[in-house]
């Protein structure tokens, strides 16, 4: 069921957005050569505790997950692009790290993701990351009253295709509110002027993610981490936004 939020409810969602943004910033600041993924997860866990927030991940067990997730942060490295289960791995020079985080504050959820290169970057990785960011910006710009979900999807896809990236639509954006995942689904490819009309009060996560040379993925033996079928690298950018009469509000905007 799709729920529309009142202006007052959108204001109530702002603290969750600010908290999620602060955790993403902290993860990107802490990530460095030699840092263990479990250290990042522990830091996020401590920030949740201090804020009195609640993790959306730790007990999460959808049909595509092998078991409850058990961690509070998704850390996807190199050929992993989504749902990366933190493990005993120390980041190496040149690793492409994607961090995804969602939490609830006072009963309201926000969800966000970002990718960086740790240490010495490859030009190919920087271009991939930049494409996800620009696609996210394009999707947000299309999230206006009177447009449709397909306009967001088409805007994302236009950026990806211009850079030569294929697009997987198995996983994409989604409704956000009292829970992390809700209706509507917001695919990263679609036809403009099609799909659900965008109305004031719709709150969604928009999340472009692309792989360097494929659109096919498989699930790692850990039962969660999604990796590229050909070993190429992936990047992921995401914000939670609210559709309003005066334009989209990015609830998870980072400083």
């Amino acid at each position: 069921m799709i729920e529309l939020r009142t202006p007052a409810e959108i204001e109530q969602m702002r603290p969750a957005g600010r908290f999620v943004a602060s955790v993403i910033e902290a993860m990107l600041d802490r990530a460095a050569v030699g840092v263990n993924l479990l250290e990042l997860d522990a830091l996020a866990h401590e920030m949740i505790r201090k804020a009195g927030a609640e993790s959306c991940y730790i007990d999460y067990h959808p049909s595509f997950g092998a078991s409850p997730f058990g961690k509070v942060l998704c850390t996807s490295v190199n050929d992993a692009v989504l749902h990366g289960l933190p493990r005993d791995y120390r980041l190496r020079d040149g690793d492409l790290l994607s961090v995804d985080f969602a939490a609830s504050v006072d009963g309201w959820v926000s969800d966000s993701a970002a990718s960086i290169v740790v240490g010495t970057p490859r030009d190919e990785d920087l271009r991939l990351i930049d494409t996800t960011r620009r696609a996210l910006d394009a999707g947000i710009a299309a999230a206006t009253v009177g447009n449709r979900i397909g306009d967001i999807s088409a805007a994302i896809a236009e950026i990806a295709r211009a850079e030569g990236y294929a697009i997987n639509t198995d996983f994409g954006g989604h409704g956000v509110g009292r829970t992390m995942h809700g209706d509507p689904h917001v695919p990263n490819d679609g036809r403009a002027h099609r799909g659900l009309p965008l109305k004031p009060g719709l709150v969604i996560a928009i999340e472009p993610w692309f792989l360097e040379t494929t659109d096919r993925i498989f699930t790692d033996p850990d039962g969660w981490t999604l990796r590229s079928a050909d070993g190429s690298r992936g990047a992921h950018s995401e914000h939670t936004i609210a559709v309003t009469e005066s334009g989209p509000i990015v609830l998870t905007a980072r400083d």
Side-chain angles (χ1 to χ4, degrees):
M1 181 177 70
I2 296 171
E3 297 183 80
L4 300 178
R5 305 300 175 185
T6 66
E9 287 176 324
I10 290 172
E11 287 301 308
Q12 292 168 13
M13 297 182 79
R14 286 186 183 271
R18 288 194 294 267
F19 174 66
V20 166
S22 72
V23 173
I24 293 288
E25 285 181 337
M27 298 305 108
L28 300 182
D29 287 344
R30 180 66 64 90
V33 175
V35 171
N36 196 302
L37 297 181
L38 295 178
E39 293 176 46
L40 296 179
D41 187 71
L43 173 59
H45 207 137
E46 180 64 9
M47 292 181 73
I48 289 171
R49 186 190 67 79
K50 287 184 177 179
E54 294 183 12
S55 170
C56 292
Y57 290 169
I58 197 161
D59 295 322
Y60 188 51
H61 190 188
S63 59
F64 56 81
S67 61
F69 191 73
K71 305 293 182 183
V72 300
L73 190 69
C74 289
T75 52
S76 303
V77 180
N78 296 334
D79 65 320
V81 66
L82 295 175
H83 308 163
L85 186 64
R87 57 192 172 92
D88 184 12
Y89 175 83
R90 293 193 178 276
L91 292 167
R92 302 170 183 172
D93 186 51
D95 277 348
L96 198 169
L97 171 67
S98 298
V99 177
D100 192 353
F101 179 74
S104 174
V105 176
D106 297 327
W108 294 106
V109 171
S110 271
D111 191 1
S112 187
S115 296
I116 59 167
V117 177
V118 176
T120 309
R122 301 189 315 160
D123 288 343
E124 299 92 332
D125 292 341
L126 295 179
R127 183 170 75 93
L128 182 61
I129 293 170
D130 180 67
T131 302
T132 66
R133 290 174 178 167
R134 289 189 293 110
L136 176 58
D137 289 343
I140 293 170
T144 58
V145 174
N147 275 355
R148 293 175 177 264
I149 288 290
D151 292 298
I152 297 174
S153 302
I156 291 170
E158 182 178 4
I159 299 295
R161 289 209 171 90
E163 296 295 336
Y165 297 123
I167 302 167
N168 179 295
T169 55
D170 293 342
F171 295 91
H174 49 87
V176 180
R178 293 292 189 180
T179 60
M180 176 172 58
H181 288 147
D183 294 327
H185 175 57
V186 187
N188 289 324
D189 191 9
R191 296 178 64 184
H193 317 306
R194 298 293 182 94
L196 178 80
L198 303 180
K199 297 180 180 180
L202 181 67
V203 180
I204 54 176
I206 300 174
E207 50 178 315
W209 61 274
F210 310 129
L211 298 164
E212 192 172 8
T213 57
T214 185
D215 61 357
R216 294 174 54 240
I217 54 177
F218 71 94
T219 303
D220 187 88
D222 68 16
W224 274 100
T225 304
L226 296 179
R227 299 185 181 276
S228 67
D230 64 358
S232 63
R233 295 185 174 202
H236 180 197
S237 294
E238 177 182 17
H239 275 311
T240 296
I241 68 109
V243 178
T244 75
E245 290 283 9
S246 57
I249 296 173
V250 181
L251 297 171
T252 51
R254 298 187 292 277
D255 293 336

